[in-house]
Amino acid sequence: MGFTFTTMTLNLLLLMAMVATNILSLYHLSSTLQSPKSPKPPPPVPDQLLHQLHTIRATINHLTRIQNTNPNTKKSTIPSDLLLYSHLSPIASSCHNHPELLHKYMTYTPFSLCPSDSDLAESLILRGCHPLPRRRCFSRTPQKPPNSNALPQNPFPSSLPDATVIWDRYTCKSFDCLNRQNPNLGFQPSRDTNKFNSYKTDLDLPIQQLFQIAKSAKSVLRLGLDVGGGTGSFAATMKLRNVTVVTTTMNVAAPYSEAVALRGLVPLHVPLQQRLPLFDGVVDLVRCGHAVNRWIPVTAMEFLLFDVDRVLRGGGYLWVDHFFSKGVDLEKMPVALRMGNFT
């Protein structure tokens, strides 16, 4: 009897030990499954990508709100191209601040003539929404394209042909009208023949002196960029000296880009806040005209000059032509302290 009791007790203890062991094994297994080794943290998402995703989401949410607030609005009122574009490529970072303008710009009939909305595109560009989304519509052109013989060969023609411009968005309907309003705008190129070839004030730098500076430094001027160059008179003057200069300009209240092109020059339709569409270190000269002055916010000015530094080659020249500013403002500009880094 005692032997039986002892055997039963031993068996019971063994059973309890086995159950306890299984319980501990099960607990260890469950804790291992619940708490695996933490993997290496993924690389951080770039801030620029997060900002672009936020832009796309904000634009689509705004368009959705427009649809939901009007029960009679059909789903097709949201331009499908805008939603498609948001998947193909990020919209410029400032576009989310003006979703109404962007929605209006992307409302058009595909495969037909584009709307007459160059003023709308200009408004978006000037607000930093650039590059604009691509559209599947055909660009408008003047009804009567001029004969090729009517296009000026001289970069300083006596007049510019009106037939090459769509005047719908402008108050004036001809270049003569623009010249009557302000003869100094540059729409009568023959007036600017000597603009960069002679002194008028002590601040002027004639082209001949610019070439003398380059020659004394054993440098060469072949390619240039004129920032805010209006109708392209500087580029036209340099063209006569076999120097290729492209001009950044905007069609603010007048067809500046068309005027540059009519002179046989290249207009870059870009605002001052946009990254210059040039490769790094490729131009010999960058000229900043009257468009680049203290009216530009300090941060934008700083980014602009750093981008100018990017496109200039080693030994290239930055020419800030007639920069005006109050002394107190100039002292507050941190970029002014680094102007010596430009050559």
Side-chain angles (χ1 to χ4, degrees):
M1 184 70 179
F3 176 78
T4 304
F5 176 78
T6 302
T7 303
M8 292 179 59
T9 302
L10 182 59
N11 291 337
L12 181 61
L13 290 174
L14 290 175
L15 179 61
M16 292 178 63
M18 184 177 63
V19 172
T21 301
N22 291 336
I23 292 176
L24 289 174
S25 299
L26 181 61
Y27 173 78
H28 175 72
L29 180 61
S30 63
S31 62
T32 303
L33 294 175
Q34 293 175 3
S35 304
K37 287 186 177 181
S38 57
K40 292 182 180 180
V45 180
D47 292 341
Q48 182 66 20
L49 178 58
L50 291 175
H51 189 59
Q52 291 171 348
L53 292 174
H54 171 73
T55 298
I56 296 171
R57 188 181 300 111
T59 304
I60 295 176
N61 289 342
H62 175 79
L63 298 178
T64 304
R65 285 196 301 271
I66 292 177
Q67 181 185 18
N68 293 338
T69 52
N70 186 357
N72 297 323
T73 302
K74 297 181 180 179
K75 186 175 182 180
S76 60
T77 57
I78 299 179
S80 58
D81 279 11
L82 179 56
L83 300 179
L84 175 64
Y85 182 80
S86 68
H87 292 290
L88 294 179
S89 179
I91 299 172
S93 59
S94 295
C95 289
H96 75 281
N97 295 328
H98 311 282
E100 295 87 357
L101 290 177
L102 185 61
H103 177 265
K104 186 175 180 181
Y105 177 76
M106 292 303 293
T107 302
Y108 68 99
T109 303
F111 308 110
S112 63
L113 275 179
C114 294
S116 181
D117 58 357
S118 55
D119 53 342
L120 178 60
E122 193 99 356
S123 298
L124 283 167
I125 292 174
L126 289 173
R127 287 166 172 79
C129 182
H130 199 266
L132 294 172
R134 290 179 174 179
R135 300 193 297 189
R136 294 175 297 168
C137 59
F138 296 99
S139 178
R140 291 179 176 270
T141 56
Q143 293 183 355
K144 296 181 180 180
N147 189 298
S148 58
N149 296 328
L151 295 175
Q153 297 294 325
N154 182 356
F156 291 97
S158 58
S159 62
L160 298 174
D162 296 330
T164 58
V165 179
I166 299 177
W167 295 93
D168 297 352
R169 57 175 291 203
Y170 304 116
T171 303
C172 275
K173 306 303 179 184
S174 68
F175 286 113
D176 285 339
C177 173
L178 292 171
N179 290 325
R180 289 194 300 270
Q181 285 190 352
N182 188 344
N184 297 319
L185 290 178
F187 291 104
Q188 189 175 351
S190 58
R191 291 172 52 93
D192 294 340
T193 304
N194 296 318
K195 183 175 181 180
F196 296 98
N197 290 319
S198 61
Y199 287 97
K200 290 185 179 179
T201 70
D202 293 338
L203 297 177
D204 293 334
L205 177 64
I207 296 295
Q208 182 61 34
Q209 186 175 349
L210 174 65
F211 276 88
Q212 290 176 356
I213 294 172
K215 184 178 180 180
S216 64
K218 297 182 179 180
S219 185
V220 62
L221 299 179
R222 306 155 303 143
L223 300 174
L225 171 69
D226 190 14
V227 180
T231 60
S233 292
F234 176 72
T237 304
M238 297 297 281
K239 181 179 181 179
L240 296 179
R241 294 177 175 267
N242 295 322
V243 180
T244 301
V245 175
V246 294
T247 304
T248 73
T249 187
M250 294 293 294
N251 283 19
V252 179
Y256 287 94
S257 297
E258 290 92 331
V260 174
L262 285 172
R263 302 174 74 170
L265 308 169
V266 179
L268 299 179
H269 190 224
V270 297
L272 296 177
Q273 66 267 35
Q274 182 193 335
R275 185 179 189 271
L276 297 171
L278 298 172
F279 192 68
D280 302 355
V282 294
V283 297
D284 307 309
L285 169 69
V286 175
R287 173 186 172 270
C288 297
H290 290 179
V292 181
N293 273 293
R294 183 56 190 90
W295 65 269
I296 302 176
V298 173
T299 303
M301 176 79 72
E302 190 168 36
F303 274 108
L304 171 63
L305 291 178
F306 272 112
D307 207 33
V308 166
D309 176 70
R310 178 185 63 80
V311 301
L312 275 173
R313 66 167 176 81
Y317 294 92
L318 167 64
W319 178 9
V320 182
D321 193 358
H322 289 74
F323 184 88
F324 64 84
S325 173
K326 294 181 180 179
V328 63
D329 289 338
L330 191 60
E331 293 173 0
K332 294 178 181 178
M333 290 180 60
V335 73
L337 301 177
R338 296 191 287 273
M339 288 291 286
N341 292 339
F342 294 93
T343 55

